Amino acid sequence: MMNELHLSENIAGLRREKKITQEELADFLGVTKAAVSKWENGQTMPDILLLPQLAGFFGVTVDALLGYEAQLSREQIRHRYLELCGDFAKLPFSEVMERARSLVHRYYACYPFLLQICVLYLNHFMLAEQKEEGKQILKEGVELCGRILEECRDVGICQDASALKAAFLLYLGRGEEVLELLEPVLDLSCIFWQSGPVLLRAYCMTGRMEPAKSCAQMMQYRDLVNLVGGAVQLLALHEAEPGRCREIMRRIEGVMELYQVETLHPNLAAQYHYQAALACMACQEQEKALKFLESFGRCVEALLASERIRLHGDSYFDRLDEWIDRLPLGDLAPRDRKFAGENALMALSHPAFSQLGDNLRFQAVRDIFLKGRDFIKE
């Protein structure tokens, strides 16, 4: 453990920075020069009672002396998340999970980091080779969220942890527990749901017009994402009702065109087009299904063509990037683009599309994903 914490290297480095000899350090601590030499070579470690003296002598904390980081900065969290996300796309699943669990143990008191590890688990557990292994990861996610809720005092982090815990429980088939967790806080009559407009009015009241504009834009973007995301769910719920599905599509496609959702948020647009294609197949409307699949392919192609998948604003949502930068993961997407491409390819194997297997337009969409996958490998 001490080697992991780099105590030996830190003692040697701090001593050189202070421009003193091993003998001078030994004299200050009341030990032999040989003892200091062994510490710096990693042969032995200082007595634990000497650590405060060593830290005080060098003018650092004990944690800094040990090389231990109890907390991570926002940039460090993003960096570690991005690394793990990329590893899932190129390394054995079990190897990446081992590293993720090691980081959890190391930063067990860094709740913002634990929260993003939960996001990582939620977006990658399905890659597990065995179903039971995936289930175990979901259970670990529930436990991590529980720890955050019990120990963390940050209200925002706890709200996110509740939402993630509910998602883990849902995947585990524990619906009753989800209701117990979320129903008390998702009462639409709650004053909490009016907090956004109240904040906006407070900005205006105090003459802070620039933050007010950013706040209003962020709220509109959030509502847009929720509106389109809700339509995806509605299509799934009304799949066997052609009339209802057509009306959902008519309304939501007007919104998507108006706000240029395919460019603004191609991942969200891809989800909509895919679900719309499934709804059309359920209603025996193959021609419409093919059009939606082509739109799905266009969105995924745009995602795969980018160096990495990222959230962003546009000419209308021109203040969005400021808000995105304040998110825990910034503009990072929760999944690596290679994984997103593989997922899109797997989506075409849905039984509903079996009738389209020989259709040239369907094959063209599949070819987009195959070429994208090969491009990323290169």
Side-chain angles (χ1 to χ4, degrees), residues 59-288:
V60 298
T61 64
V62 173
D63 280 355
L65 178 69
L66 292 170
Y68 175 69
E69 301 170 276
Q71 298 295 317
L72 294 170
S73 68
R74 182 171 63 179
E75 287 306 315
Q76 288 173 321
I77 291 173
R78 291 179 184 178
H79 175 71
R80 281 165 174 76
Y81 186 97
L82 189 60
E83 273 193 340
L84 290 168
C85 205
D87 286 346
F88 272 122
K90 60 189 178 185
L91 298 176
F93 181 79
S94 57
E95 184 179 325
V96 185
M97 280 304 304
E98 185 177 346
R99 185 179 172 219
R101 287 171 176 136
S102 175
L103 288 170
V104 166
H105 291 155
R106 182 170 183 179
Y107 301 110
Y108 204 46
C110 183
Y111 303 117
F113 177 68
L114 295 186
L115 188 71
Q116 297 313 316
I117 284 290
C118 289
V119 173
L120 185 85
Y121 285 2
L122 195 61
N123 281 292
H124 295 87
F125 78 91
M126 68 290 294
L127 296 178
E129 294 182 7
Q130 303 295 327
K131 188 175 180 180
E132 277 305 310
E133 184 181 8
K135 192 174 180 180
Q136 177 57 37
I137 293 166
L138 292 172
K139 290 179 179 177
E140 289 177 28
V142 172
E143 291 174 5
L144 282 178
C145 289
R147 171 171 171 75
I148 294 170
L149 291 168
E150 287 176 11
E151 303 294 337
C152 184
R153 296 295 175 264
D154 186 304
V155 175
I157 290 176
C158 287
Q159 286 175 345
D160 289 343
S162 289
L164 285 169
K165 183 177 180 180
F168 283 123
L169 290 170
L170 194 64
Y171 276 115
L172 287 167
R174 291 152 63 176
E176 289 297 329
E177 292 179 61
V178 176
L179 295 177
E180 288 176 16
L181 184 65
L182 292 187
E183 277 188 336
V185 297
L186 291 186
D187 182 355
L188 295 180
S189 65
C190 246
I191 293 176
F192 168 77
W193 287 93
Q194 303 173 28
S195 59
V198 170
L199 176 62
L200 178 57
R201 290 179 65 185
Y203 279 138
C204 295
M205 183 184 294
T206 56
R208 301 176 63 189
M209 303 313 294
E210 292 306 310
K213 292 174 185 176
S214 297
C215 179
Q217 195 174 106
M218 179 272 290
M219 288 166 55
Q220 188 179 31
Y221 174 81
R222 179 199 61 194
D223 291 342
L224 174 64
V225 171
N226 287 339
L227 183 64
V228 177
V232 173
Q233 299 302 319
L234 278 173
L235 284 173
L237 290 168
H238 295 283
E239 208 171 63
E241 303 171 50
R244 172 64 70 173
C245 285
R246 289 191 197 100
E247 184 61 14
I248 293 169
M249 293 175 195
R250 185 183 71 81
R251 296 191 182 213
I252 209 66
E253 282 162 31
V255 172
M256 289 178 67
E257 182 179 355
L258 186 63
Y259 284 94
Q260 301 176 13
V261 174
E262 283 196 13
T263 303
L264 176 67
H265 202 319
N267 186 49
L268 178 63
Q271 292 175 44
Y272 169 77
H273 291 314
Y274 178 76
Q275 189 59 54
L278 285 175
C280 288
M281 290 302 295
C283 298
Q284 301 298 313
E285 297 180 336
Q286 291 190 12
E287 181 62 26
K288 285 187 177 180

Side-chain angles (χ1 to χ4, degrees), residues 1-11 39 42-49 51 62-63 65-68 106:
M1 183 63 177
M2 286 298 185
N3 287 335
E4 278 185 19
L5 296 175
H6 310 293
L7 176 61
S8 302
E9 298 95 318
N10 288 345
I11 292 174
W39 296 344
Q43 293 176 288
T44 61
M45 293 296 167
D47 186 283
I48 191 170
L49 295 176
L51 294 180
V62 173
D63 280 355
L65 178 69
L66 292 170
Y68 175 69
R106 182 170 183 179

